[in-house]
Amino acid sequence: MARLEAPASLCYCETMKNVTVSLDDATYRAARVKAAQAGRSLSALVREALEELGSGETEFERLHREELELREKLKELPPFRASDRLTREEVHDRARERKEWRERRS
């Protein structure tokens, strides 16, 4: 009979605090809809809002900072040349494109 081994330790790396918030029905429903549209839980949506509040950085400032960081990373790439254009066949070779994309990610 095979024996299952349990992990040595299961624990959170940081302590999380639970907070109870009272909302009227309309606000609760609207927040749930916004969270679902963003693909996140209501808890995650509230946590992000509180983190933003605590960081002193607005969403606009965060996005602007991230854009500047991305622009710096783009400067490290080789420049685009018109001679680098793909043929029609290469443009539609999606399997090759997916493979190259996966290789770049890893």
Side-chain angles (χ1 to χ4, degrees):
M1 175 164 33
R3 184 173 171 209
L4 296 176
E5 294 291 327
S9 173
L10 293 175
C11 68
Y12 286 103
C13 294
E14 58 184 277
T15 304
M16 302 297 276
K17 300 291 183 190
N18 289 325
V19 177
T20 302
V21 178
S22 299
L23 302 170
D24 62 82
D25 243 14
T27 303
Y28 173 74
R29 285 192 185 114
R32 294 266 310 194
V33 168
K34 290 283 187 186
Q37 289 171 342
R40 294 191 298 270
S41 67
L42 181 56
S43 180
L45 191 71
V46 171
R47 181 177 51 251
E48 290 167 9
L50 292 174
E51 286 171 352
E52 183 179 310
L53 181 67
S55 73
E57 182 179 52
T58 65
E59 183 177 5
F60 176 81
E61 291 168 334
R62 179 185 60 79
L63 291 171
H64 182 65
R65 178 181 47 78
E66 290 176 2
E67 177 189 0
L68 293 176
E69 290 169 2
L70 181 59
R71 287 178 183 268
E72 287 301 315
K73 287 180 184 177
L74 289 174
K75 287 179 183 177
E76 298 170 7
L77 296 175
F80 173 79
R81 297 184 316 239
S83 63
D84 292 339
R85 291 189 294 192
L86 301 173
T87 66
R88 185 177 192 282
E89 290 75 27
E90 291 171 325
V91 168
H92 295 285
D93 186 2
R94 298 183 194 283
R96 182 182 56 81
E97 290 296 319
R98 279 193 298 273
K99 180 181 175 190
E100 288 177 2
W101 180 78
R102 286 186 189 115
E103 289 171 356
R104 285 192 302 266
R105 285 187 56 200
S106 49

